[in-house]
Amino acid sequence: MTTAKDIMHPGAQWLPAHETLDRAAQMMREMNVGALPIADSNERLMGILTDRDIVVGCVAMGHDPAQTTAGEMAHGTPRWIEASADIEEVLREMQSHQIRRLPVIEKKRLIGMISEADLARHLSEPQLATWVEKVYAHG
């Protein structure tokens, strides 16, 4: 059985909710990623911040990324998956919530992230086509 841990990319890092968006952008650049999971002071998932969130939700709205925190951008119910979950569970979670990135948790700790690129490397073409159709479907 292929698990979330098998397909994730390890080394994901929390972005503390109190960090500003300019610092978040710097971390994304340093880590060469487009999203970071946001954590509260107890390292509990609050959401995921994307580079697009910074641009569209902050800069394009006329806000200062040096004065806006990641916690201010965390909206909705955060989604995550246990490291031991099988790939079908991963796909269901991502498809049912139409999300493209999924934090992987083991023993209540962030151990990695699953992204579109990870799925592309590990899914068959039919599985990937179904995932794309369901995640990108509008309606």
Side-chain angles (χ1 to χ4, degrees):
M1 171 179 82
T2 302
T3 66
K5 190 172 185 174
D6 295 331
I7 66 170
M8 71 176 196
H9 56 271
Q13 291 182 14
W14 291 117
L15 174 65
H18 68 269
E19 285 288 358
T20 59
L21 298 186
D22 61 339
R23 178 63 190 129
Q26 292 165 2
M27 287 177 66
M28 288 179 190
R29 183 190 65 224
E30 291 163 8
M31 297 173 63
N32 194 30
V33 298
L36 293 168
I38 304 168
D40 66 15
S41 59
N42 295 318
E43 288 194 350
R44 292 190 0 213
L45 183 64
M46 294 178 60
I48 293 182
L49 179 72
T50 67
D51 48 7
R52 187 174 193 282
D53 293 332
I54 296 169
V55 173
V56 175
C58 179
V59 176
M61 299 298 286
H63 302 294
D64 181 357
Q67 299 298 315
T68 306
T69 67
E72 292 174 66
M73 300 296 288
H75 305 289
T77 303
R79 310 308 309 179
W80 52 274
I81 197 90
E82 285 286 340
S84 60
D86 71 41
I87 196 162
E88 293 303 320
E89 289 177 72
V90 170
L91 295 175
R92 272 193 303 276
E93 182 69 16
M94 294 176 87
Q95 290 168 352
S96 66
H97 298 285
Q98 293 186 305
I99 55 177
R100 295 177 238 162
R101 297 169 181 95
L102 190 61
V104 179
I105 306 293
E106 185 175 62
K107 298 178 186 168
K108 298 184 180 183
R109 293 279 184 225
L110 175 71
I111 63 165
M113 288 278 275
I114 297 174
S115 69
E116 293 167 295
D118 299 313
L119 294 179
R121 282 192 291 278
H122 293 93
L123 297 180
S124 68
E125 283 189 34
Q127 283 176 308
L128 189 58
T130 299
W131 181 84
V132 167
E133 181 181 318
K134 290 183 178 178
V135 168
Y136 287 96
H138 297 284

